[in-house]
Structure formats: structure tokens, C-alpha cells
PDB file of all heavy atoms in Angstrom:
ATOM      1  N   THR A   1       7.899   3.386 -11.377  1.00 96.00           N
ATOM      2  CA  THR A   1       7.571   3.859 -10.038  1.00 96.00           C
ATOM      3  C   THR A   1       6.784   2.823  -9.238  1.00 96.00           C
ATOM      4  O   THR A   1       6.510   3.027  -8.064  1.00 96.00           O
ATOM      5  CB  THR A   1       6.748   5.153 -10.126  1.00 96.00           C
ATOM      6  OG1 THR A   1       5.597   4.923 -10.956  1.00 96.00           O
ATOM      7  CG2 THR A   1       7.574   6.282 -10.738  1.00 96.00           C
ATOM      8  N   GLU A   2       6.445   1.728  -9.886  1.00 98.00           N
ATOM      9  CA  GLU A   2       5.769   0.621  -9.212  1.00 98.00           C
ATOM     10  C   GLU A   2       6.328  -0.674  -9.796  1.00 98.00           C
ATOM     11  O   GLU A   2       6.293  -0.879 -11.010  1.00 98.00           O
ATOM     12  CB  GLU A   2       4.253   0.695  -9.397  1.00 98.00           C
ATOM     13  CG  GLU A   2       3.484  -0.369  -8.639  1.00 98.00           C
ATOM     14  CD  GLU A   2       1.971  -0.178  -8.733  1.00 98.00           C
ATOM     15  OE1 GLU A   2       1.535   0.845  -9.311  1.00 98.00           O
ATOM     16  OE2 GLU A   2       1.235  -1.058  -8.248  1.00 98.00           O
ATOM     17  N   PHE A   3       6.856  -1.523  -8.932  1.00 98.00           N
ATOM     18  CA  PHE A   3       7.558  -2.698  -9.440  1.00 98.00           C
ATOM     19  C   PHE A   3       7.544  -3.820  -8.409  1.00 98.00           C
ATOM     20  O   PHE A   3       7.166  -3.626  -7.233  1.00 98.00           O
ATOM     21  CB  PHE A   3       8.996  -2.345  -9.820  1.00 98.00           C
ATOM     22  CG  PHE A   3       9.787  -1.676  -8.719  1.00 98.00           C
ATOM     23  CD1 PHE A   3      10.468  -2.427  -7.770  1.00 98.00           C
ATOM     24  CD2 PHE A   3       9.861  -0.290  -8.636  1.00 98.00           C
ATOM     25  CE1 PHE A   3      11.196  -1.827  -6.761  1.00 98.00           C
ATOM     26  CE2 PHE A   3      10.593   0.323  -7.623  1.00 98.00           C
ATOM     27  CZ  PHE A   3      11.263  -0.444  -6.683  1.00 98.00           C
ATOM     28  N   LEU A   4       7.962  -5.004  -8.874  1.00 98.00           N
ATOM     29  CA  LEU A   4       8.158  -6.155  -7.996  1.00 98.00           C
ATOM     30  C   LEU A   4       9.648  -6.297  -7.719  1.00 98.00           C
ATOM     31  O   LEU A   4      10.465  -6.197  -8.635  1.00 98.00           O
ATOM     32  CB  LEU A   4       7.632  -7.434  -8.644  1.00 98.00           C
ATOM     33  CG  LEU A   4       6.147  -7.450  -9.032  1.00 98.00           C
ATOM     34  CD1 LEU A   4       5.779  -8.781  -9.672  1.00 98.00           C
ATOM     35  CD2 LEU A   4       5.248  -7.169  -7.823  1.00 98.00           C
ATOM     36  N   LEU A   5       9.987  -6.507  -6.475  1.00 98.00           N
ATOM     37  CA  LEU A   5      11.364  -6.783  -6.101  1.00 98.00           C
ATOM     38  C   LEU A   5      11.506  -8.288  -5.894  1.00 98.00           C
ATOM     39  O   LEU A   5      10.750  -8.890  -5.124  1.00 98.00           O
ATOM     40  CB  LEU A   5      11.741  -6.040  -4.818  1.00 98.00           C
ATOM     41  CG  LEU A   5      13.223  -6.076  -4.443  1.00 98.00           C
ATOM     42  CD1 LEU A   5      14.035  -5.248  -5.430  1.00 98.00           C
ATOM     43  CD2 LEU A   5      13.442  -5.576  -3.013  1.00 98.00           C
ATOM     44  N   VAL A   6      12.460  -8.900  -6.600  1.00 98.00           N
ATOM     45  CA  VAL A   6      12.642 -10.354  -6.576  1.00 98.00           C
ATOM     46  C   VAL A   6      14.098 -10.680  -6.245  1.00 98.00           C
ATOM     47  O   VAL A   6      14.980  -9.839  -6.433  1.00 98.00           O
ATOM     48  CB  VAL A   6      12.245 -10.984  -7.931  1.00 98.00           C
ATOM     49  CG1 VAL A   6      10.742 -10.824  -8.179  1.00 98.00           C
ATOM     50  CG2 VAL A   6      13.020 -10.351  -9.081  1.00 98.00           C
ATOM     51  N   PRO A   7      14.374 -11.907  -5.773  1.00 97.00           N
ATOM     52  CA  PRO A   7      15.730 -12.223  -5.311  1.00 97.00           C
ATOM     53  C   PRO A   7      16.736 -12.561  -6.390  1.00 97.00           C
ATOM     54  O   PRO A   7      17.936 -12.586  -6.112  1.00 97.00           O
ATOM     55  CB  PRO A   7      15.509 -13.426  -4.385  1.00 97.00           C
ATOM     56  CG  PRO A   7      14.253 -14.057  -4.883  1.00 97.00           C
ATOM     57  CD  PRO A   7      13.403 -12.944  -5.403  1.00 97.00           C
ATOM     58  N   TYR A   8      16.288 -12.844  -7.624  1.00 95.00           N
ATOM     59  CA  TYR A   8      17.249 -13.192  -8.672  1.00 95.00           C
ATOM     60  C   TYR A   8      16.800 -12.608 -10.008  1.00 95.00           C
ATOM     61  O   TYR A   8      15.617 -12.339 -10.243  1.00 95.00           O
ATOM     62  CB  TYR A   8      17.443 -14.709  -8.777  1.00 95.00           C
ATOM     63  CG  TYR A   8      16.161 -15.509  -8.821  1.00 95.00           C
ATOM     64  CD1 TYR A   8      15.487 -15.734 -10.014  1.00 95.00           C
ATOM     65  CD2 TYR A   8      15.630 -16.042  -7.652  1.00 95.00           C
ATOM     66  CE1 TYR A   8      14.309 -16.465 -10.051  1.00 95.00           C
ATOM     67  CE2 TYR A   8      14.457 -16.777  -7.677  1.00 95.00           C
ATOM     68  CZ  TYR A   8      13.805 -16.988  -8.882  1.00 95.00           C
ATOM     69  OH  TYR A   8      12.628 -17.714  -8.908  1.00 95.00           O
ATOM     70  N   PHE A   9      17.785 -12.413 -10.870  1.00 94.00           N
ATOM     71  CA  PHE A   9      17.536 -11.768 -12.156  1.00 94.00           C
ATOM     72  C   PHE A   9      16.693 -12.664 -13.074  1.00 94.00           C
ATOM     73  O   PHE A   9      16.885 -13.873 -13.122  1.00 94.00           O
ATOM     74  CB  PHE A   9      18.867 -11.449 -12.844  1.00 94.00           C
ATOM     75  CG  PHE A   9      18.706 -10.761 -14.171  1.00 94.00           C
ATOM     76  CD1 PHE A   9      18.405  -9.412 -14.226  1.00 94.00           C
ATOM     77  CD2 PHE A   9      18.840 -11.464 -15.358  1.00 94.00           C
ATOM     78  CE1 PHE A   9      18.256  -8.760 -15.440  1.00 94.00           C
ATOM     79  CE2 PHE A   9      18.697 -10.832 -16.582  1.00 94.00           C
ATOM     80  CZ  PHE A   9      18.397  -9.481 -16.621  1.00 94.00           C
ATOM     81  N   GLY A  10      15.752 -12.048 -13.790  1.00 91.00           N
ATOM     82  CA  GLY A  10      14.938 -12.760 -14.764  1.00 91.00           C
ATOM     83  C   GLY A  10      13.647 -13.312 -14.226  1.00 91.00           C
ATOM     84  O   GLY A  10      12.808 -13.786 -15.005  1.00 91.00           O
ATOM     85  N   ALA A  11      13.441 -13.273 -12.896  1.00 92.00           N
ATOM     86  CA  ALA A  11      12.205 -13.775 -12.319  1.00 92.00           C
ATOM     87  C   ALA A  11      11.014 -13.003 -12.868  1.00 92.00           C
ATOM     88  O   ALA A  11      11.072 -11.782 -13.021  1.00 92.00           O
ATOM     89  CB  ALA A  11      12.249 -13.676 -10.795  1.00 92.00           C
ATOM     90  N   CYS A  12       9.943 -13.730 -13.186  1.00 90.00           N
ATOM     91  CA  CYS A  12       8.693 -13.177 -13.723  1.00 90.00           C
ATOM     92  C   CYS A  12       8.798 -12.792 -15.193  1.00 90.00           C
ATOM     93  O   CYS A  12       7.784 -12.525 -15.833  1.00 90.00           O
ATOM     94  CB  CYS A  12       8.208 -11.963 -12.938  1.00 90.00           C
ATOM     95  SG  CYS A  12       8.038 -12.234 -11.166  1.00 90.00           S
ATOM     96  N   ILE A  13      10.019 -12.746 -15.743  1.00 88.00           N
ATOM     97  CA  ILE A  13      10.204 -12.365 -17.143  1.00 88.00           C
ATOM     98  C   ILE A  13      10.749 -13.535 -17.955  1.00 88.00           C
ATOM     99  O   ILE A  13      10.136 -13.981 -18.926  1.00 88.00           O
ATOM    100  CB  ILE A  13      11.160 -11.159 -17.258  1.00 88.00           C
ATOM    101  CG1 ILE A  13      10.616  -9.978 -16.448  1.00 88.00           C
ATOM    102  CG2 ILE A  13      11.347 -10.771 -18.716  1.00 88.00           C
ATOM    103  CD1 ILE A  13       9.292  -9.446 -16.934  1.00 88.00           C
ATOM    104  N   HIS A  14      11.915 -14.030 -17.560  1.00 87.00           N
ATOM    105  CA  HIS A  14      12.556 -15.125 -18.292  1.00 87.00           C
ATOM    106  C   HIS A  14      12.305 -16.485 -17.647  1.00 87.00           C
ATOM    107  O   HIS A  14      12.373 -17.513 -18.312  1.00 87.00           O
ATOM    108  CB  HIS A  14      14.061 -14.869 -18.413  1.00 87.00           C
ATOM    109  CG  HIS A  14      14.391 -13.571 -19.077  1.00 87.00           C
ATOM    110  ND1 HIS A  14      13.965 -13.265 -20.356  1.00 87.00           N
ATOM    111  CD2 HIS A  14      15.088 -12.498 -18.644  1.00 87.00           C
ATOM    112  CE1 HIS A  14      14.402 -12.057 -20.681  1.00 87.00           C
ATOM    113  NE2 HIS A  14      15.078 -11.575 -19.660  1.00 87.00           N
ATOM    114  N   VAL A  15      12.069 -16.486 -16.346  1.00 92.00           N
ATOM    115  CA  VAL A  15      11.744 -17.722 -15.625  1.00 92.00           C
ATOM    116  C   VAL A  15      10.489 -17.454 -14.800  1.00 92.00           C
ATOM    117  O   VAL A  15      10.155 -16.295 -14.521  1.00 92.00           O
ATOM    118  CB  VAL A  15      12.912 -18.174 -14.722  1.00 92.00           C
ATOM    119  CG1 VAL A  15      14.132 -18.539 -15.566  1.00 92.00           C
ATOM    120  CG2 VAL A  15      13.264 -17.104 -13.705  1.00 92.00           C
ATOM    121  N   PRO A  16       9.758 -18.499 -14.378  1.00 94.00           N
ATOM    122  CA  PRO A  16       8.516 -18.301 -13.625  1.00 94.00           C
ATOM    123  C   PRO A  16       8.729 -17.496 -12.340  1.00 94.00           C
ATOM    124  O   PRO A  16       9.833 -17.470 -11.785  1.00 94.00           O
ATOM    125  CB  PRO A  16       8.060 -19.733 -13.325  1.00 94.00           C
ATOM    126  CG  PRO A  16       8.677 -20.562 -14.397  1.00 94.00           C
ATOM    127  CD  PRO A  16      10.004 -19.929 -14.671  1.00 94.00           C
ATOM    128  N   PRO A  17       7.678 -16.860 -11.847  1.00 96.00           N
ATOM    129  CA  PRO A  17       7.794 -16.084 -10.604  1.00 96.00           C
ATOM    130  C   PRO A  17       8.131 -16.980  -9.426  1.00 96.00           C
ATOM    131  O   PRO A  17       7.694 -18.130  -9.350  1.00 96.00           O
ATOM    132  CB  PRO A  17       6.398 -15.464 -10.440  1.00 96.00           C
ATOM    133  CG  PRO A  17       5.768 -15.547 -11.783  1.00 96.00           C
ATOM    134  CD  PRO A  17       6.334 -16.762 -12.443  1.00 96.00           C
ATOM    135  N   PRO A  18       8.903 -16.474  -8.479  1.00 96.00           N
ATOM    136  CA  PRO A  18       9.167 -17.231  -7.247  1.00 96.00           C
ATOM    137  C   PRO A  18       7.916 -17.258  -6.369  1.00 96.00           C
ATOM    138  O   PRO A  18       6.915 -16.597  -6.689  1.00 96.00           O
ATOM    139  CB  PRO A  18      10.304 -16.443  -6.595  1.00 96.00           C
ATOM    140  CG  PRO A  18      10.138 -15.052  -7.116  1.00 96.00           C
ATOM    141  CD  PRO A  18       9.602 -15.189  -8.503  1.00 96.00           C
ATOM    142  N   PRO A  19       7.931 -17.998  -5.276  1.00 97.00           N
ATOM    143  CA  PRO A  19       6.785 -17.978  -4.348  1.00 97.00           C
ATOM    144  C   PRO A  19       6.470 -16.558  -3.888  1.00 97.00           C
ATOM    145  O   PRO A  19       7.331 -15.685  -3.871  1.00 97.00           O
ATOM    146  CB  PRO A  19       7.263 -18.868  -3.186  1.00 97.00           C
ATOM    147  CG  PRO A  19       8.285 -19.777  -3.801  1.00 97.00           C
ATOM    148  CD  PRO A  19       8.977 -18.950  -4.848  1.00 97.00           C
ATOM    149  N   SER A  20       5.228 -16.349  -3.493  1.00 97.00           N
ATOM    150  CA  SER A  20       4.792 -14.995  -3.137  1.00 97.00           C
ATOM    151  C   SER A  20       5.547 -14.420  -1.946  1.00 97.00           C
ATOM    152  O   SER A  20       5.669 -13.192  -1.823  1.00 97.00           O
ATOM    153  CB  SER A  20       3.287 -14.991  -2.852  1.00 97.00           C
ATOM    154  OG  SER A  20       2.972 -15.909  -1.810  1.00 97.00           O
ATOM    155  N   ASN A  21       6.069 -15.265  -1.061  1.00 98.00           N
ATOM    156  CA  ASN A  21       6.841 -14.741   0.071  1.00 98.00           C
ATOM    157  C   ASN A  21       8.272 -14.376  -0.318  1.00 98.00           C
ATOM    158  O   ASN A  21       9.067 -13.987   0.530  1.00 98.00           O
ATOM    159  CB  ASN A  21       6.843 -15.721   1.246  1.00 98.00           C
ATOM    160  CG  ASN A  21       7.423 -17.082   0.879  1.00 98.00           C
ATOM    161  OD1 ASN A  21       8.028 -17.259  -0.183  1.00 98.00           O
ATOM    162  ND2 ASN A  21       7.224 -18.049   1.758  1.00 98.00           N
ATOM    163  N   GLN A  22       8.573 -14.490  -1.613  1.00 98.00           N
ATOM    164  CA  GLN A  22       9.862 -14.066  -2.148  1.00 98.00           C
ATOM    165  C   GLN A  22       9.683 -12.931  -3.156  1.00 98.00           C
ATOM    166  O   GLN A  22      10.542 -12.694  -4.006  1.00 98.00           O
ATOM    167  CB  GLN A  22      10.589 -15.242  -2.803  1.00 98.00           C
ATOM    168  CG  GLN A  22      10.949 -16.354  -1.845  1.00 98.00           C
ATOM    169  CD  GLN A  22      12.043 -15.938  -0.870  1.00 98.00           C
ATOM    170  OE1 GLN A  22      13.221 -15.963  -1.194  1.00 98.00           O
ATOM    171  NE2 GLN A  22      11.646 -15.538   0.345  1.00 98.00           N
ATOM    172  N   ILE A  23       8.569 -12.213  -3.029  1.00 98.00           N
ATOM    173  CA  ILE A  23       8.267 -11.070  -3.896  1.00 98.00           C
ATOM    174  C   ILE A  23       7.745  -9.926  -3.033  1.00 98.00           C
ATOM    175  O   ILE A  23       6.885 -10.125  -2.165  1.00 98.00           O
ATOM    176  CB  ILE A  23       7.225 -11.422  -4.968  1.00 98.00           C
ATOM    177  CG1 ILE A  23       7.714 -12.579  -5.850  1.00 98.00           C
ATOM    178  CG2 ILE A  23       6.914 -10.205  -5.831  1.00 98.00           C
ATOM    179  CD1 ILE A  23       6.717 -13.004  -6.904  1.00 98.00           C
ATOM    180  N   VAL A  24       8.267  -8.724  -3.282  1.00 98.00           N
ATOM    181  CA  VAL A  24       7.801  -7.526  -2.593  1.00 98.00           C
ATOM    182  C   VAL A  24       7.262  -6.554  -3.622  1.00 98.00           C
ATOM    183  O   VAL A  24       7.956  -6.210  -4.590  1.00 98.00           O
ATOM    184  CB  VAL A  24       8.937  -6.856  -1.782  1.00 98.00           C
ATOM    185  CG1 VAL A  24       8.391  -5.642  -1.027  1.00 98.00           C
ATOM    186  CG2 VAL A  24       9.566  -7.848  -0.818  1.00 98.00           C
ATOM    187  N   HIS A  25       6.035  -6.118  -3.427  1.00 98.00           N
ATOM    188  CA  HIS A  25       5.409  -5.119  -4.299  1.00 98.00           C
ATOM    189  C   HIS A  25       5.816  -3.741  -3.786  1.00 98.00           C
ATOM    190  O   HIS A  25       5.451  -3.351  -2.678  1.00 98.00           O
ATOM    191  CB  HIS A  25       3.895  -5.287  -4.266  1.00 98.00           C
ATOM    192  CG  HIS A  25       3.180  -4.451  -5.270  1.00 98.00           C
ATOM    193  ND1 HIS A  25       1.891  -4.697  -5.674  1.00 98.00           N
ATOM    194  CD2 HIS A  25       3.560  -3.347  -5.981  1.00 98.00           C
ATOM    195  CE1 HIS A  25       1.510  -3.804  -6.571  1.00 98.00           C
ATOM    196  NE2 HIS A  25       2.517  -2.968  -6.756  1.00 98.00           N
ATOM    197  N   VAL A  26       6.587  -3.004  -4.598  1.00 98.00           N
ATOM    198  CA  VAL A  26       7.176  -1.741  -4.154  1.00 98.00           C
ATOM    199  C   VAL A  26       6.586  -0.576  -4.948  1.00 98.00           C
ATOM    200  O   VAL A  26       6.395  -0.669  -6.159  1.00 98.00           O
ATOM    201  CB  VAL A  26       8.712  -1.754  -4.324  1.00 98.00           C
ATOM    202  CG1 VAL A  26       9.323  -0.449  -3.816  1.00 98.00           C
ATOM    203  CG2 VAL A  26       9.315  -2.948  -3.586  1.00 98.00           C
ATOM    204  N   LYS A  27       6.340   0.536  -4.233  1.00 97.00           N
ATOM    205  CA  LYS A  27       5.934   1.786  -4.869  1.00 97.00           C
ATOM    206  C   LYS A  27       6.942   2.863  -4.487  1.00 97.00           C
ATOM    207  O   LYS A  27       7.411   2.919  -3.352  1.00 97.00           O
ATOM    208  CB  LYS A  27       4.531   2.195  -4.432  1.00 97.00           C
ATOM    209  CG  LYS A  27       3.437   1.235  -4.906  1.00 97.00           C
ATOM    210  CD  LYS A  27       2.063   1.707  -4.480  1.00 97.00           C
ATOM    211  CE  LYS A  27       0.981   0.743  -4.951  1.00 97.00           C
ATOM    212  NZ  LYS A  27      -0.376   1.178  -4.527  1.00 97.00           N
ATOM    213  N   SER A  28       7.267   3.729  -5.466  1.00 96.00           N
ATOM    214  CA  SER A  28       8.268   4.766  -5.248  1.00 96.00           C
ATOM    215  C   SER A  28       7.869   6.026  -5.994  1.00 96.00           C
ATOM    216  O   SER A  28       7.384   5.960  -7.121  1.00 96.00           O
ATOM    217  CB  SER A  28       9.644   4.282  -5.719  1.00 96.00           C
ATOM    218  OG  SER A  28      10.576   5.345  -5.762  1.00 96.00           O
ATOM    219  N   GLU A  29       8.066   7.180  -5.363  1.00 92.00           N
ATOM    220  CA  GLU A  29       7.751   8.444  -6.028  1.00 92.00           C
ATOM    221  C   GLU A  29       8.785   8.773  -7.105  1.00 92.00           C
ATOM    222  O   GLU A  29       8.445   9.283  -8.167  1.00 92.00           O
ATOM    223  CB  GLU A  29       7.683   9.572  -4.998  1.00 92.00           C
ATOM    224  CG  GLU A  29       6.525   9.440  -4.004  1.00 92.00           C
ATOM    225  CD  GLU A  29       6.459  10.619  -3.065  1.00 92.00           C
ATOM    226  OE1 GLU A  29       7.323  11.521  -3.196  1.00 92.00           O
ATOM    227  OE2 GLU A  29       5.558  10.650  -2.215  1.00 92.00           O
TER     228      GLU A  29
END
């Protein structure tokens, strides 16, 4: 219900995070 939206698969997990202007912090009920 709370996650980061990134432009490509594996970002922050398998490869380093993209720049902060390429990440959206999302909350959802």
C-alpha cells in the first residue's frame, strides 16, 4: 500500500536507484 514507482524494472532492487526526479513515492488504500 506504500511503494516507489520507478521507470524501469529492477530499480532499487537489482540495480541502483535512479535519480530522485525519476522516483515517485506512492500511497494507496
Side-chain angles (χ1 to χ4, degrees):
T1 55
E2 184 174 355
F3 54 87
L4 301 180
L5 189 69
V6 294
Y8 48 86
F9 181 78
C12 306
I13 303 297
H14 303 302
V15 296
S20 58
N21 59 12
Q22 296 290 279
I23 301 178
V24 183
H25 188 161
V26 182
K27 294 182 180 179
S28 169
E29 294 183 0

